[in-house]
Each structure stands twice: as structure tokens, then as C-alpha cells.
Amino acid sequence: MGQQFHRDVEALLEESSLTCASLFLSATRCTFLPLPSSLSLPPSPFLPLPLVFPVLVKKWQLISAGDALIVPAIVQGALVWVPDENTVWVCGVLDSDCSVLPTTLSIKLDTQTLIVKVEKEKDLPPLRNPDILIGENDLTSMSYLHEPAVLYNLQVRFSNRSTIYTYCGIVLVAINPYQECPIYGPDFIHAYRGQNMGDLDPHIFAVAEEAYTKMERENRDQSIIVSGESGAGKTVSAKYAMRYFASVGGSSDETQVEKKILASNPIMEAIGNAKTTRNDNSSRFGKYIELDFNSSYSIVGASMRTYLLEKSRVVFQAPGERNYHIFYQMCSSADDPRLAGLRLVTTSLDFGFPSHASGAPGCHCLDRVAACRSKGDPAVFQYLRQGVISGQREPPRRLAAQDSFSYLNQGDSAYITGVDDAADFQETCKAFVLLGLQDAHLQPVFTVLAAILHLGNVQLIETSTDSCAVPVDDPALPVVCSLLKVSEEELRQWLCHRKIVSGGEVFIKPISAEQATFYRDALAKHTYAQVFAWIVKQVNKCFTAAFKPCRFIGVLDIYGFETFEINSFEQFCINYANEKLQQQFNQHVFKLEQEEYVKEQIEWEFINFYDNQPCINLIESKLGILDLLDEECRMPRGSDQSWVEKLYDKCKASEHFSKPRFSRSSFIISHFADQVTYESYGFLEKNRDHVSEDHIHTLKSSRIPFVSELFNDAPPKPTGSARVKIVPGKSSASTSKSAKQSVGSQFRNSLALLMETLNSTTPHYVRCIKPNDDKEAFTFDPKRAIQQLRACGVLETVRISAAGYPSRWTYQEFFMRYRVLCHSRDIQRADMRTTCQKIIANIINDEDKFKFGRSKIFFRAGQVAYMEKLRADRLRACYVMIQKHVKGFLRRNKYLTLRRATLTLQRYTRGVLARRRVRELRRVAAAVVLQARVRGWLQHTRYERLRWVVTRIQARARGVWARQRCHEARRQRAAVVLQKHVRRYLQEQQYQRVRRGLITIQGLVKCFLARRYLKSLKIQAKSVEHQKQLNKGLENKIISLQQKLSEMKVENQNVRKASENAANLKIQLLALKGVENELKGSKTTIATLEERIKKLEEQLEVERGEKMDVLTEKERADKANKELVEELNAKNALLCEELAKAQASKRDDETEDQIKAKLEAEKEQMLMEHNEEKGAYQKLLAEKHAFEAKSEALEAELARIKGPAAMHKRTASSLSNVSDATTDIVLDASDVHSVATEDDVGYGSVRSRSSDHSESGLRQPLDAIEWGNPALQSTVVGRDTLINGSLTPNRAERIQQSRSNQTLRSEDSKLSAQEVSLVLALQTKLREVNKLNESLSSRLHSLEAAPVDSPLVDSRQHAENMIRVAAHVLLQHHRLQI
């Protein structure tokens, strides 16, 4: 199958001329993505593209089938993913094609065939990646980026290849293998040192190297955030990251800070880790370790912050769990000299059991003590035996120290497979010594820890309902007092009593056994927390640097998201911390990413992502869960039940909070990973973390300095700049209960500081995945894995990492780093952006690999590594160049000396050898001649013999072969002929079927469209308003033609008058030829005036172009032109006088031919001026119409503001005229004669009501109008004046001349008659169009009336007829509009 796959792909690529370095398709949506640089290509020169398989996907098919959805055709044989209940996703093969939606797909699985209904494109099953892309080390390099592809890729790498690390863009996905892997040795550390992320296989060392390299390169603090569920391997990943930093950042300093940092891991695991049902080495506290580096990036110190130690585990463990490792290590090493005198061997096995009801308390104590072995047994301590699962048999005892204890052999909880507690204890002690804590310092620590165990075995017997007592013969209490060096009687009293101070008086009140047990357990928890805080403090002292560090790298190892059958206050705080970390991850990877692109004005497609801020607000906002919890803790009679009732009332509006159906003491919070049900029992007490002051005073009086020091320390107050070590519950005598901060508030403040620190660094993410709940090695459970992948944002990271720009440089930083890659002539100090653009243009050709922002340059993943390589190559070339010249000089001198000596020796030696060689050559040449003759004769004889035999054999064989080929050729030719005819017949049949189907579909579609359009046309044809609208358009054109006709007549009269004036002026100008010398001054004045006129015209055109107020422009132009006309008239009068004088003196000198020539020239000049005036008039007319529309809009707005009383009637016409008086609009213009009989002469025209009384009689019809009447022309001109508001100077002069010369004859009567005939022809054409519309309507009615379903009517012919009629109607309608 694989060979056929490659052959098909290569054939397709050869046909389409594609190469393996081009691009590949992503998913069935044909999204083009650049080829990933990390993709491992096969040896074949062609890349098997996933969507160009000829056996899987065809070309895109566009099918016109009504409103059906067009989709890429997926054909039979394609591999797809289908949801499955057991394995989440299962791979299947399509049994049918899918080319159009909606459709039904048949998918063949291993055991069954699944039928899937696909309604939309998003319902299509996701395609599987080709085999070459399965198992890639980076999830973003896969062709299809969806949930099943990511899950299957991780499963293949983990289960089949035993690879636990996989990249997901900027996130490293680590899957817990549940066994030791040999990939963390020094060889691997050296292999990853100096390598870019992605050059080698994914590894925690690669992430650590990336953080270390960025700290060096960018000089910025870094942080590695390791997150995941409990048991996913977070602690191990953080430990190996610190090991890497200690190795690469090591120095030759005598303090050996690196070894101390690594030594802190076994200490913190011993006192802070425990076995849970999900993890054998679960961290029950959070820690953030900062590794400090100096200016040379060597480790000089470190510091550690801790968060929310799970103190309740000291006194209670669920079935199948253990207490903290340090207790089991001490019990397994009870015979160690450092633990001598701690009574870990001689403690009774009967402690903690109420066997005194018979009246003989502790009667079996001595027998039990005698039965104890020489090794310590954790089962004798009540605080260590609560994790035993009942009903399991005790395994056989062995000689090993820890196996001698009965508790450790039960329930698979006391012992951890593959873990030796005694050996771990020795390793813990060595780590203490390496950190500077010798045995003398450790002795009191172990003493207090042993006292905690003995304190749990103190029995509290109920003597009455409200009182209890410690038995006199109880052996545990003396041991506790002996170890802690406190008064036994005082401790015995305060274990069963309570001091109450009221009004200056002190009362001692007995307490019940239940209350006494609670206060005893609170004392044990508080004591262990103080020891834990003291150890962390000592570790930080050992890490403190001698001077201020330059930079740091933080490693966060904090508890993962937890949900159990019973979730209490600890799980609530843990999940709250994970919500904050998830929000920080979202802000860095999604929100801050997009905000950065928007800020820098980079083109970016916004991505919707899950924001858990509402859930965080539910927990930490005002009147949130923590605030209500603190408020209830301050109430005198506050209880868990009342607090839950407040939550039901205050938080019910939040969508992340809900109430269980069958419980009144629990509540549900919808976290980012899952819904968690919290049991409210114990929330208030754990949040208060109350410890009896009497117990604290008793322990303060201890004669051991270490014990008194533990309880005399004041708890650290968290500040914005200090590094806070959160140890909840610590109190002192000077701190009142009201001023004490609750555990929830402390934890919220510490989380805020942690978030502030993380946001100030460059984060690197490691997402740990727990593959199964059974802790089986390299076993992958898809259900558990997909839950964690959905919760930790890996799938969203795939999307954004593939399309984002993770690397950013400011222009100055980029120039300082990569200035070696450009020439000095390209550097512009004043414009760093241009310089950076030149640098990038020389090294990166693909513009998609980088973007220029306002202050930064953004690069795709891998580009910075590529530029670093170019920079290193350029620097190396410079080094080589310098070394080359120096070494060349030295070597050349040595070479010349040796050369001279060698040449001398060679000269003499070659002479001797040459003479010997010549003599030998002569002898050899003679022997060769003899041998050639003899061998030639022998070979010729053998050749002739063989040639005769071979020719005979070839003749026979060729004959047989020729006959066989001829017979085979005849058979092939016959087969080809048969195949040709059969294939032709099959193709013709298929073509005819397809053609008939398409024709039928097209006919039905066209029939449907024609019928729908026909209905719309019928509605329009029946509408009276439609007919009116058609007639209105023609009437508007007729009226405009009437106005144009009147204007042309006026213009013709003006032209005739101008021609007469020109003739007169030409006659006058004939006399000016004789006096040209005398009139030079006058000509100069005329030229100056003409230039001034042109300037004024240009200024007028500019003002018109700027669309200033028309009325103001025309008034200004009228005023200027009037002044100019007066000035010209005055000068013309002077010129006329001079002309008269000159004409009188020179009239006889001019000839008749010269006068005619001058007249013709002057006539042409006047015609040109007339044309220019006509063009200017047309421009003014266009501007007039524009301002008319603006004036109409202003009038409408004014009328709307004034109210209905000030409004006047208007028509739907776009024409509008201005009038100072109240106006009436003609409402109906459907008939020409009706227009003639209305109150006004044009459609949409305006007249003053005040002029109604001055007009007498009705207007004449259109046919009876005298278009050549001068009075009508003057009326038109007057109306033009009314409309425009002003006239041009030339236009005003012409109007005045036309009014003064009304007696002039109308010589253009023929032209007027032609225009009137044109109007009448338009009326006739309108009537013809109306008749045609009526005939078409009747024809449409007849076609519609015919039944389509009748057997006598051909549906196809009927549809074609309707289409033709509709097309004819559309054509007529279009012509009518034109």
C-alpha cells in the first residue's frame, strides 16, 4: 500500500509540475500553509501532499442544484476520524463519495459500518494526516490541526516510540512514563547545550536551554512554569530543569551553589511530598525556585518560595495514601545514631485505640512493647496508620528494616514500589550536610518530628459529656514531654482544658474529647508547619548570594488540578491557584499576544479563547467565596452550614457556581478543567487555622532553644517587593485573633505576588500529562489524556503558534545584535527602522516570516535561530580571515625556505632517475613490439572461428523471436480495438444520462425563476403608480425639452444680435488699420484688460470648484463684471471717438477686399467667444442644479423643524425650484394635456400664489404654443432668473438687448418647428409603448392561465415561452428607462 501511495503521488506531482519545497494543503477546506521547516522529508524528490492523492480526493466540483451547499468532493477510500466512547476518536474509511451537502456518509470501522448524517460543512468528519506526518515532534507541523490529530500523534509517540516529550509551538508537552528513562545524563545535557529549540528532539533540557539562551541574549528574567494534574510528573520535570541550569550555569566558585541547589530537591521532597491515590510522590505544597545568575550568567545563588502546605495530611490520610515521606524515612532508619533516643522503637502498638472501656486501660501495653522489633514501625503511630485500606491481609515480614512494621505492609500504602525509605533518609541527611546543616542542627528537627508522631498517640478519654482526660499510665505523653523538654503536667492540663479571659478574670474550662482531639491535631499541624518553614528558611540562607544577582530564572512547581470524591479546603485552594496559572497562560499565549499585535499595528486575526476571569472573580472578588468565608470566620457563631447558605444566596448569579441537587452542605464550581463538588465541612476551621494559645505558651517554655525559637518567630507579612514564604496558621502571643490573617487571604496575596513575578519574566511552559490512572508504564488512556489536553490549552496553542510571531526585537536591539549582517553604507543612525529593513531584506526573502511594527520587529518561529546562524557564520568568517593572513605569512616564509632546498635536491635526483627511466623505456618498447605481433596473430585466428559460430546461432534465435513478436503484436492490436469500442459505448451512455439530468434541472430552475419574475412584473403592470411613474419620466423629458427649446431660441436671437454687432464693429475696426501706431497704447490697455478678465474667470472657476455658495459667487461676479463693463464701455467710448476720427481720415485708404477679410476674421473671433460663453453657461447650469438639490434638502429640514404647519406639498420628482412665497406642486403629470390645463407649466414647477390673481384664463395646449414668440422667451428667461437667482454679465446683457429689441424677426422658425415635432413624436412613442405593455400583459395572463401539469402542455416549451416573454418585458422596460 505504501509503494502504491508513493507512485500515485509522484505521478500526480509530475503531471502538475509541483516540487517538494512548494506548499501543502491543510484540511478539506484547501487552506494553504507554508511548508514547516521541521518537517522530515522522505528520500523521494516529491512530497506526498495530503489533499492531492488521486485515490482520495478529486478536483473541486461545483454542482448547481438549487440552494445546495458546495463542498470539496471527498471520495471513497479517504481516512477520517469518528468520535468513539472508549477511545475518544477512532479511524475509519469512507465507503461512499461526498460531493454536496446535506448528505449521508458511510464510514467503515474495524468491526462495523457507521452511517453519519452531514448537514453542514462543520459536521464533516476530520481527515487523518498522512503516514509521513504521523509522529511529528511538533504538533504545529501537522497538516490537519484538530483534536483527533493531536491526540493520535501523542499516542503514537508515547506508546509506539516510547517518546515522552512533544512540542506544541511554545509549549512542551511531557507525558509521565511511570518508569526511569535514560535520557537525563550528562551526555544529553552536553548534547542540548548551545542548540536551538527544535534542532534536536523535544526535551525538558531544550526548554531549559531556550530559557538560558534568552536570558543571555535578551538580558531578561525567565521563568519555567510546570503545570499539570497530580501525578503528571511536574516535580520530576522541575528537578531536571534545575539540574540542567546547575550544569550549564556552573562556575568554579568554592561555594558550589549548583550542588546545593540540587541537594535541596531530596530535602523538599522528604518534608513536602507524600503518596496519594494518584501519585506516589505528589507535592503537597507549591514552590517557586529562583536561580540567580551574575553578569557572566553563572549561578551565584537561589531562593525558594513555598505556597499552602497541606498540613491536614499530618493528622489525616485517605485510604491508600501516606503521610509525608520524612516520617517513614525516620521509622525505617530508627536504629540510625542520629535518631537515638527518639523512642521510635519502644512505642506501644496499642496507642490510639480505645481499649479502656473494660476498666483496665492499657492492660496490654507491656506485652505490645515487648513484641516490638528492633526497627521502628510506622503502624504504631496514629498519624501514620490512617491510610491503611481495611480488609487486606498483612504481607509476610522480612528482615528489612521497613518491612518489620505491620502497617507498612498493608493496603499498598505504607510501602512504595521501588522506593527504599531508609536509603532516602540517608540521602536526605547528606543533602542537609551539603547545605551546611550538620547533625547537631538536625537533632532538634528530628526530635520535634518524632514528638509530633508521639503526640498523635496520646489518648484522650471522655470522662463526661463536656470533659475528658489523658490516662495516667498513657506512655505517649511522657515521651512527648521528654522530647520537647516541657512540663508534663502543664501539657496534660491544657490538652483537656481551655483558658477563658473575661473582664480581667481567668476561667479554666474543661473541653470534650472531640474538642481536645481537634486542638491536639491543630497543635501537631502547626508544629509541623513551623518545622517546614524553618527548613525552608535555612535552605534559603544557604542559597543566598554574596552580592546582588544580575538575572534569575524561576522554576515553578506547584500542585496540579485536583478532584476527588470528597474535596475540601485544600483542593479548593489548589484549584484556585491553577485557575490563576491558567489565566496567566491565556494572557501570555492568547490575550497579550493579540494586544501586542494591535499595539504594534500588525495584521492579525483575532482568536476567541476561553477566559476564566469570571471563575476567578467568583472566588476572589468582593462578596466572592473567599470574602464570604472570611466574613463567616469572623462571626462568633459562624458555621460551615451558614456559610454555604450565604454562598447559595450571593453566588447564585454566577454561571460558574451551582448547587447540588441532593446536598445542602456542598457546592459546585465550574473550573476551567472540570466541575468540582466541594464539601463545606471543615472549611471554616481550616481557614481560621486556630491553635490553642495555651499549647503555644507551653511549647515556648521548652528548654530546647530550637523549639522555643520555632514558636517565638512572628509570621512574615507579605509585601509587594518581598519574597513571601507562605506558612499559614503561624501565630504569636503578640498577634491578636482579630488581626490574624486567614489562610485563604494569605494564599490569595501570595498568588498575587506570584502572578506579578511571572508577568515580569519571559515564561516557558511545560504541560505535564498523566497518561493513565493505574500508573502503568507507557500505557496511554485517550480519555484521561484528552481531558487534560482540553483543559491546559494545548489545542488552542496549536492554532496560535502556527500563525503568530513569537520572537520580537526592538529596532535598536535588533540593530545592535545583527549589525554585522549589513554593510556600513546601509546604516542610518537617525532611522533605525530603515536600517533594520535593509538588514532583513538581505537575509530573509519571505515577507510572511516577519512583520514591522511601530517599535518592534516580529519574526515567525525559527527565524531568530536562522539569523543567529548567519551572524555566527559572519563572525566566524571574520575570524578565519584574520587567522588566514597571519598564518599565511608565517607559512609562506617557511615554505619559501623549504622550497629552495627542495628544488636543489629534486634537480639532481630527477636527472639520475630520468636517465635510468630512458634506458628502461627503450628495452620495454622493443619487447612490446615483439609481443604485439605474436598476440595479434593468435587473437585473429580465434576471432574468425568464434565469429562463424556466433553468426549461425544469432540467425536461428532472431528468427524465433521475430515470429513471437509478430504474433503478440497481432493479439495486442485486436484487444485495443475491442477496448476502444467498449469504452466509447460506456462513455456515451454516461454522457447522455448526465446531459438529460442537467437539462431537466436547468429547465425546472429556469421555470421557477421565470414564474417568480412574471409574478413581480404582473404586480408592477397592474399598479397604477407604476404607469404614473413611467409617464412622469416622459413628461419630465418633454418639459425639459420645452425649456431647452426656449433657451435655444433666446440664445439664437442673442447670436444674431451679436453677429450684427460684430458686423458693425468690423466696419468700425476697418478704420483702425490706418492708425495702428497711434492706437498701440490703446491695444496694450485692451490686452491688459483681457488678461484681467481671464484672471477673474479663473478665480471664478476656482471658487466654483470649491463649491461655495452659488448666490454669493454670482453676486460677486455680477458686481465685478458690471464694473468691468462700465470700464470697458468708457474705454470703448473713447476708442469709438478715436475710431471715428481715424475712420474719417483713413476711410479712403482702405480697400473693399481688406474690409471683407477683416470682417471674416472678426466673425470667427466672435463665434469662438460665443462658444466659450456657452460652455461657461453650461457649467453654471450644472452647478445651479446641484445647489437646487441642496436647497431642497435644506427647505425640507427647515420645514421639519418648523412643524407640519410650515410644510408644503411636494412630489417625488428630484427637480425643485426656489420661491419666496408659499408654493404648490403639481401632483399628477401622467398626461401632456393635463399638464397644459394645470395651474403651472411644468412637472414639479413652482409658482407664487400671489400671482394666481394676475393670471387670467387657462393655458394653451402643448400643440398650440408659439415657440417662437419673444414674449414666451422672455418668460422663460425670467423663470431662469428666478431659478438661478442671478445671471452672468453676458447673459444679463443679452437679456436686456432681447427685451429692447423684441421687434426682431424670428429667423429660426424652422428649428422651432423641428423641436416641437420631436416632442409630439415622443408622445406618439409613449402611446405605442403603453399598447405594447398591454399586449405583453395579456400574453403573460394567457401563459399563466395554462395549466403546467396538463399532459397536453409541454413543460419545457411552456417554461421557454415564459422566459422569452419575461426577457421581452425586461428589454422594453430597459428601453423605456433609457
Side-chain angles (χ1 to χ4, degrees), residues 1223-1295:
T1223 59
D1224 291 329
I1225 308 301
V1226 177
L1227 299 177
D1228 191 1
S1230 59
D1231 189 74
V1232 176
H1233 297 287
S1234 64
V1235 173
T1237 58
E1238 290 292 327
D1239 293 337
D1240 213 339
V1241 295
Y1243 176 76
S1245 63
V1246 180
R1247 68 176 182 82
S1248 176
R1249 288 186 177 179
S1250 61
S1251 62
D1252 290 346
H1253 304 286
S1254 63
E1255 296 180 4
S1256 61
L1258 299 175
R1259 301 179 187 272
Q1260 297 179 358
L1262 184 64
D1263 300 339
I1265 297 175
E1266 295 181 3
W1267 300 100
N1269 190 359
L1272 179 62
Q1273 295 177 5
S1274 63
T1275 304
V1276 174
V1277 172
R1279 179 173 299 167
D1280 184 66
T1281 306
L1282 178 62
I1283 293 174
N1284 295 324
S1286 62
L1287 296 175
T1288 60
N1290 294 333
R1291 185 68 171 168
E1293 183 179 358
R1294 290 173 186 172
I1295 291 172

Side-chain angles (χ1 to χ4, degrees), residues 1051-1062:
E1051 289 181 2
N1052 289 334
Q1053 291 178 2
N1054 294 334
V1055 169
R1056 285 193 300 271
K1057 183 178 179 181
S1059 62
E1060 292 177 359
N1061 294 335

Side-chain angles (χ1 to χ4, degrees), residues 733-970:
S734 61
T735 304
S736 64
K737 294 181 180 179
S738 61
K740 180 181 177 182
Q741 197 175 19
S742 65
V743 175
S745 299
Q746 292 180 15
F747 188 62
R748 177 171 52 188
N749 296 337
S750 63
L751 274 182
L753 293 177
L754 176 62
M755 293 300 106
E756 181 181 353
T757 302
L758 294 179
N759 292 331
S760 64
T761 63
T762 301
H764 305 267
Y765 298 97
V766 179
R767 295 299 194 190
C768 298
I769 303 297
K770 186 178 181 180
N772 60 82
D773 291 331
D774 300 329
K775 305 175 185 177
E776 296 181 2
F778 287 102
T779 301
F780 193 84
D781 184 4
K783 285 187 176 181
R784 293 287 294 116
I786 201 63
Q787 291 174 0
Q788 299 170 72
L789 289 175
R790 291 169 180 169
C792 66
V794 171
L795 298 179
E796 293 295 330
T797 307
V798 169
R799 280 199 301 152
I800 197 168
S801 297
Y805 300 89
S807 301
R808 300 99 185 262
W809 292 76
T810 62
Y811 291 110
Q812 183 66 30
E813 292 174 349
F814 181 83
F815 172 73
M816 296 301 296
R817 182 69 180 176
Y818 300 107
R819 61 176 300 178
V820 298
L821 298 179
C822 68
H823 198 275
S824 58
R825 63 173 175 267
D826 295 334
I827 299 176
Q828 299 181 13
R829 298 285 182 178
D831 190 358
M832 283 298 170
R833 175 166 182 166
T834 304
T835 304
C836 295
Q837 289 176 349
K838 292 180 180 179
I839 296 175
I840 295 177
N842 296 330
I843 59 180
I844 302 178
N845 297 326
D846 190 358
E847 295 183 357
D848 185 59
K849 299 298 183 183
F850 60 89
K851 292 290 183 182
F852 291 97
R854 298 177 59 188
S855 60
K856 297 179 182 179
I857 310 176
F858 293 76
F859 294 97
R860 294 279 190 189
Q863 298 305 308
V864 174
Y866 170 69
M867 291 187 295
E868 285 293 320
K869 180 180 179 300
L870 295 180
R871 178 178 179 273
D873 293 342
R874 179 64 61 86
L875 294 178
R876 184 177 179 276
C878 296
Y879 303 154
V880 171
M881 179 65 69
I882 296 173
Q883 294 175 356
K884 179 182 69 175
H885 285 83
V886 174
K887 292 179 180 179
F889 173 76
L890 298 177
R891 294 295 180 181
R892 180 170 180 80
N893 289 338
K894 184 177 181 181
Y895 166 74
L896 292 177
T897 303
L898 292 175
R899 183 175 181 273
R900 287 192 295 268
T902 303
L903 288 177
T904 302
L905 293 174
Q906 288 178 349
R907 185 170 64 251
Y908 288 101
T909 303
R910 287 171 181 169
V912 174
L913 295 176
R915 286 187 290 273
R916 293 180 182 177
R917 181 64 177 168
V918 169
R919 185 166 59 252
E920 185 67 22
L921 288 176
R922 288 176 179 174
R923 295 180 64 219
V924 170
V928 167
V929 171
L930 293 175
Q931 291 176 355
R933 298 293 182 182
V934 175
R935 291 173 180 171
W937 179 78
L938 294 175
Q939 293 297 328
H940 180 71
T941 304
R942 182 183 300 173
Y943 167 74
E944 290 296 334
R945 189 182 299 112
L946 289 175
R947 182 175 177 274
W948 184 83
V949 175
V950 170
T951 52
R952 296 297 182 272
I953 296 173
Q954 287 179 348
R956 298 288 183 181
R958 288 172 179 170
V960 174
W961 293 341
R963 287 188 290 276
Q964 292 177 353
R965 287 196 300 272
C966 179
H967 180 67
E968 184 65 24
R970 289 176 179 175

